[in-house]
Amino acid sequence: MHDKGVKFYSSSDLACGYNLEKAETVLEEYDESYKYEDINIILEFYNIQLYLSNQCYLIRWNEATINAYQNASKSFDKQIGLYFSFIDNTNIINIYKEIQNEYYDDFWTLFKKYKLYNKISKEIFEIILRERLDLQYILVHKIIVQKYDQIISNIIMEDIQNCEVLLDEYLVFKNTDKKYYFPNSLNKTKLVEMYVDSEVANLNYLELIVKSLSTNDLKLSDKLRLKAKKRYEKDMKKILIKGTFMSYGVKLSFSDIQRQSVNIEFKDHNLIFTYSKKWFKENLDYPILLIYNFIHNFMFVDNQIRFLHVHKLNSMSVIEKCLGIKGKNEYITDTVFEQLNMAAQLQIQVYYAFLNNESIKLEALYKWFFEDYLKTEFNVIGFYFNCPSTNASYLEKNRTLNSEIDSVLKQFKMWCEDRNIDLELLQMSSNHMLYKDLPSLIDKKYIYPNSEEFNIASYLLCSNQSPIHYISKKYNQSNFYELINKNDLKIEDFHEYQHKDVKWLLDHYYIYTNIDGFLKNDIDVIWIINELYLNDVLSYHHLDKNKQKTVDILLEKNILKYENTLFSKPEYDYFNYIFNKSDFTNGLDIRNKYIHGTQSMDENVQKNDYYIILRMLVLCILKINDEFCLEYEIRNCGK
């Protein structure tokens, strides 16, 4: 039996079907009487268990098959337990060297579950950690950190840049429940002091230190904050003198030595992406090439499958909001938007070249998705996609692909309405297609703000311009909800002119006073409001059950609303910006200018447009795949 590389990310991950296909082979070949001695097979068993325990099944599995696989999965416990009982000081180093990259987090999860920290000596643990520094997988396990406290502390202190992990945990707002634990012996303040003095100190973190206050977990003295302030000002002055303070860019390369699939840095105002050539060459299966890579490695979408390249008003700085003259009907672009779109454009160009070197055409992947993948994974039959000729000019390719985008979106619309694609009817249709009117297979697809009450609440709670987010220098959080979360404050602690706004939040139940009179808030409610404030939309079925229940309550109160469309509003606005000028005077008009023959005749411009069209097709594919994945989950997993 050979390792198939099954990896569980979540029950809603777009690679779920692909991994279940591989899991099926493992389950069919599984022999309960056999003693498995390969760590990667053992960790794969664990991942298969996660799929089945989350009731993730392939459509073709009947009840008898599911029951058989569930029984096999239960017997995995014995195999996993037996294997981990065998691990000790004499063999763990060699075992650890054999683990595949995607399984390191699972190993430490099982290391904790089977209490190997009671068997593995500190000396051996240190060897393992120095062999491969996996702090991000270890720091999430409190008991492991406690057991190997001093060793982990020493290793953290050896690399000053590890301070950024500390700052991320204690000073940076996170949209995740993941929590890092740090050794009690770690001198956190000293680490921050060393970081401030080091050459690797990042301006963003220096500014964060300046603006932050001491907490029970991280002590920041006034002297330390002053030192960070002076360092920040000194480095900013250098940038201003050089005249590069407004410059930004994107760099992308493939590495022959990097092990992880992607590494991302932000350095000197540049987004730097480094990809592992070995990883990409070893993962040439079509689902990985088209779906996994664009989600996890190129990050075209987030964990709710929302486009990451769209403009977000609240990602703009106050200065950017105020600077410049903007037309009434312009699509707003800012530094963040420009840099993310530069990154996407460079990613698709480099990836296209990589695939060509592997004798794979990106357009062929698109055709596979519509004509083979949808049929195999979801029994969706009838979609078609016409690839442009290999020898076609960029002008010809752009005209073909623009038409194909229209075609596949009309096909999806027809499937939503009739559960069938009638080619004759499709060919007769001459109606103009509006991106905003494309339907969804999913009820309650997107959640939006729907009231002035939400606008007031989100501004008071989340904005760094809120009139109640600042009391005095003693309290220096970036918004109101962080202010009351990180400090024990009563309404009396606020200035009299702020009482009205605080009372408004109390009266509308966005915050409350606890038994001691301190102002507090409901975590799920605030998370939802902040997500909508930052991203303008939520994807309901990508939320956990508790957050869905909270959204339902806010829907009942008409504070929020939902719509059932393929694209969310930020996404169909982005499509309109790219493809036409119907809504935005500064639209790129990439569809209409090729259809009407008004495109530039400069081949370099046409080539750039070609890559834009290719990445917009990827976004269409990711959204359509998400539709069918969610529909399957709702129908089969009860989500």
Side-chain angles (χ1 to χ4, degrees):
M1 179 173 178
H2 302 286
D3 172 41
K4 306 299 179 184
V6 177
K7 177 64 179 176
F8 178 83
Y9 297 97
S10 76
S11 58
S12 60
D13 191 87
L14 294 184
C16 184
Y18 169 68
N19 275 289
L20 284 171
E21 291 274 0
K22 295 192 291 183
E24 182 179 48
T25 303
V26 176
L27 289 162
E28 288 294 332
E29 295 177 358
Y30 176 64
D31 181 355
E32 186 177 355
S33 64
Y34 184 78
K35 181 181 178 182
Y36 294 92
E37 298 181 344
D38 185 322
I39 181 60
N40 291 302
I41 292 177
I42 295 298
L43 295 173
E44 184 177 43
F45 287 166
Y46 172 69
N47 279 271
I48 294 172
Q49 281 187 321
L50 292 176
Y51 274 111
L52 296 180
S53 65
N54 281 277
Q55 297 183 324
C56 296
Y57 312 126
L58 291 175
I59 296 173
R60 63 173 176 265
W61 293 355
N62 57 32
E63 185 175 352
T65 300
I66 291 171
N67 288 336
Y69 288 167
Q70 288 285 11
N71 289 332
S73 174
K74 289 176 184 177
S75 75
F76 287 170
D77 281 328
K78 181 179 179 181
Q79 296 281 357
I80 296 170
L82 184 64
Y83 187 93
F84 272 78
S85 68
F86 162 75
I87 297 176
D88 58 25
N89 284 328
T90 66
N91 55 27
I92 190 171
I93 294 175
N94 289 330
I95 289 172
Y96 197 70
K97 289 179 180 179
E98 296 298 318
I99 299 174
Q100 295 175 185
N101 288 342
E102 65 267 28
Y103 290 145
Y104 282 107
D105 57 338
D106 301 312
F107 175 83
W108 290 110
T109 298
L110 295 173
F111 184 98
K112 172 189 172 184
K113 177 180 178 179
Y114 291 101
K115 300 181 180 180
L116 292 191
Y117 47 78
N118 289 328
K119 295 173 60 178
I120 304 304
S121 69
K122 294 178 181 178
E123 293 77 14
I124 296 297
F125 178 84
E126 182 173 5
I127 293 172
I128 295 170
L129 202 55
R130 292 190 182 281
E131 177 74 23
R132 177 187 167 97
L133 188 59
D134 285 325
L135 281 177
Q136 73 271 31
Y137 302 139
I138 293 171
L139 293 180
V140 296
H141 299 296
K142 186 177 182 179
I143 186 64
I144 298 178
V145 174
Q146 289 174 337
K147 288 289 184 177
Y148 303 102
D149 183 291
Q150 191 61 57
I151 293 168
I152 297 173
S153 177
N154 292 342
I155 290 175
I156 289 175
M157 293 296 289
E158 288 173 8
D159 185 350
I160 303 305
Q161 206 152 7
N162 286 327
C163 181
E164 293 177 2
V165 180
L166 187 80
L167 298 175
D168 284 338
E169 178 61 34
Y170 294 128
L171 302 184
V172 177
F173 173 79
K174 299 182 296 182
N175 288 323
T176 175
D177 295 330
K178 181 184 288 186
K179 177 178 175 59
Y180 288 126
Y181 299 92
F182 293 91
N184 291 330
S185 63
L186 180 65
N187 190 330
K188 300 170 188 172
T189 301
K190 182 179 179 182
L191 179 61
V192 177
E193 288 174 347
M194 292 168 63
Y195 180 78
V196 170
D197 290 332
S198 73
E199 292 297 320
V200 301
N202 184 295
L203 277 172
N204 296 311
Y205 285 107
L206 289 173
E207 186 178 21
L208 183 67
I209 294 166
V210 173
K211 293 182 177 181
S212 300
L213 296 175
S214 289
T215 67
N216 292 333
D217 295 308
L218 184 60
K219 304 297 182 183
L220 300 174
S221 68
D222 291 340
K223 287 184 178 180
L224 175 57
R225 292 172 59 244
L226 178 60
K227 181 185 286 187
K229 180 175 182 291
K230 290 181 176 180
R231 171 67 189 279
Y232 175 81
E233 291 172 347
K234 178 183 176 182
D235 288 356
M236 279 298 296
K237 187 176 181 179
K238 290 180 181 178
I239 292 173
L240 293 171
I241 290 172
K242 291 180 180 179
T244 59
F245 56 94
M246 289 298 290
S247 69
Y248 58 90
V250 177
K251 298 179 181 179
L252 190 152
S253 64
F254 276 96
S255 168
D256 291 321
I257 60 173
Q258 181 174 299
R259 295 178 67 183
Q260 71 246 44
S261 60
V262 59
N263 182 64
I264 304 172
E265 297 178 273
F266 186 75
K267 185 177 181 181
D268 298 330
H269 307 284
N270 287 300
L271 271 173
I272 304 171
F273 297 86
T274 308
Y275 293 98
S276 167
K277 184 181 292 185
K278 182 176 184 292
W279 190 95
F280 273 75
K281 281 181 171 290
E282 289 178 349
N283 291 275
L284 296 176
D285 294 329
Y286 276 18
I288 294 178
L289 291 176
L290 184 57
I291 298 174
Y292 181 90
N293 283 345
F294 281 106
I295 295 174
H296 298 287
N297 288 326
F298 300 133
M299 288 160 283
F300 273 31
V301 294
D302 65 10
N303 61 0
Q304 295 184 38
I305 317 301
R306 298 175 296 192
F307 295 175
L308 287 178
H309 306 145
V310 303
H311 169 259
K312 299 175 184 178
L313 180 64
N314 291 311
S315 69
M316 296 179 70
S317 68
V318 174
I319 294 176
E320 283 186 303
K321 288 178 182 178
C322 297
L323 284 178
I325 300 173
K326 299 177 177 64
K328 289 183 179 179
N329 296 314
E330 283 188 16
Y331 188 88
I332 301 173
T333 61
D334 61 342
T335 302
V336 173
F337 173 86
E338 295 288 358
Q339 196 163 30
L340 289 175
N341 278 266
M342 286 170 58
Q345 195 72 349
L346 185 57
Q347 285 168 329
I348 199 81
Q349 291 178 35
V350 172
Y351 194 45
Y352 187 91
F354 168 81
L355 291 175
N356 272 349
N357 288 336
E358 299 298 324
S359 300
I360 299 170
K361 294 296 182 183
L362 187 55
E363 293 98 325
L365 294 179
Y366 299 163
K367 186 176 184 67
W368 163 82
F369 173 83
F370 289 109
E371 299 184 5
D372 297 324
Y373 172 83
L374 292 180
K375 179 180 179 180
T376 301
E377 291 296 319
F378 306 107
N379 198 30
V380 172
I381 301 170
F383 274 83
Y384 67 91
F385 181 86
N386 291 318
C387 295
S389 168
T390 304
N391 298 323
S393 66
Y394 287 117
L395 174 61
E396 293 168 331
K397 288 180 178 180
N398 291 347
R399 285 177 174 166
T400 299
L401 291 176
N402 271 316
S403 296
E404 289 308 296
I405 288 178
D406 285 359
S407 176
V408 295
L409 292 178
K410 286 180 179 179
Q411 290 173 56
F412 179 77
K413 182 175 185 290
M414 185 173 285
W415 182 270
C416 287
E417 294 170 348
D418 303 326
R419 298 293 166 148
N420 178 55
I421 296 175
D422 187 326
L423 296 183
E424 287 186 290
L425 181 60
L426 189 67
Q427 291 162 4
M428 289 181 64
S429 174
S430 60
N431 294 333
H432 181 58
M433 181 188 65
L434 299 177
Y435 300 118
K436 69 177 182 179
D437 291 338
L438 290 167
S440 172
L441 296 166
I442 311 302
D443 186 39
K444 205 184 292 184
K445 176 77 178 292
Y446 294 119
I447 306 299
Y448 300 99
N450 188 44
S451 64
E452 183 61 22
E453 179 178 322
F454 175 88
N455 295 336
I456 295 170
S458 62
Y459 175 70
L460 292 177
L461 289 163
C462 306
S463 174
N464 59 7
Q465 301 300 302
S466 168
I468 55 176
H469 96 281
Y470 180 80
I471 303 175
S472 66
K473 292 181 179 180
K474 181 180 179 181
Y475 306 105
N476 195 21
Q477 276 68 49
S478 61
N479 54 46
F480 176 77
Y481 81 82
E482 287 186 2
L483 180 67
I484 64 172
N485 278 342
K486 295 181 178 180
N487 304 281
D488 288 330
L489 295 173
K490 298 181 179 181
I491 193 168
E492 294 83 8
D493 295 317
F494 289 82
H495 300 288
E496 186 175 347
Y497 73 87
Q498 297 174 314
H499 286 192
K500 179 182 176 182
D501 288 326
V502 176
K503 286 180 179 178
W504 187 94
L505 291 172
L506 285 166
D507 292 341
H508 289 79
Y509 305 105
Y510 291 99
I511 62 174
Y512 62 92
T513 53
N514 66 13
I515 193 170
D516 297 315
F518 295 123
L519 297 168
K520 300 297 174 186
N521 59 61
D522 182 284
I523 293 174
D524 284 337
V525 170
I526 298 303
W527 186 91
I528 289 164
I529 291 173
N530 189 60
E531 270 288 298
L532 285 169
Y533 178 78
L534 294 175
N535 297 295
D536 305 315
V537 63
L538 288 172
S539 180
Y540 180 85
H541 295 280
H542 285 287
L543 306 179
D544 63 41
K545 292 295 184 183
N546 288 335
K547 291 185 175 67
Q548 286 182 354
K549 290 178 182 177
T550 302
V551 167
D552 290 339
I553 293 171
L554 295 174
L555 288 170
E556 289 176 6
K557 294 180 178 180
N558 292 318
I559 294 169
L560 304 179
K561 66 178 181 179
Y562 70 86
E563 293 180 2
N564 302 329
T565 54
L566 174 62
F567 301 121
S568 68
K569 186 181 186 307
E571 292 164 350
Y572 62 67
D573 280 347
Y574 182 64
F575 263 74
N576 282 324
Y577 164 71
I578 294 291
F579 284 122
N580 57 63
K581 292 191 174 185
S582 62
D583 289 351
F584 307 107
T585 56
N586 61 334
L588 302 185
D589 209 25
I590 285 179
R591 174 190 180 273
N592 289 349
K593 67 185 181 183
Y594 282 97
I595 289 177
H596 298 300
T598 58
Q599 76 286 331
S600 169
M601 295 309 296
D602 185 327
E603 188 176 12
N604 288 327
V605 174
Q606 293 175 6
K607 182 178 181 180
N608 187 66
D609 291 344
Y610 172 63
Y611 287 118
I612 293 175
I613 297 168
L614 287 178
R615 61 185 176 89
M616 297 305 288
L617 261 165
V618 169
L619 294 175
C620 289
I621 286 169
L622 295 180
K623 296 302 287 192
I624 290 172
N625 188 62
D626 186 48
E627 286 275 329
F628 287 114
C629 286
L630 288 176
E631 184 188 42
Y632 171 82
E633 280 188 32
I634 293 167
R635 184 174 64 243
N636 296 284
C637 302
K639 185 170 179 178

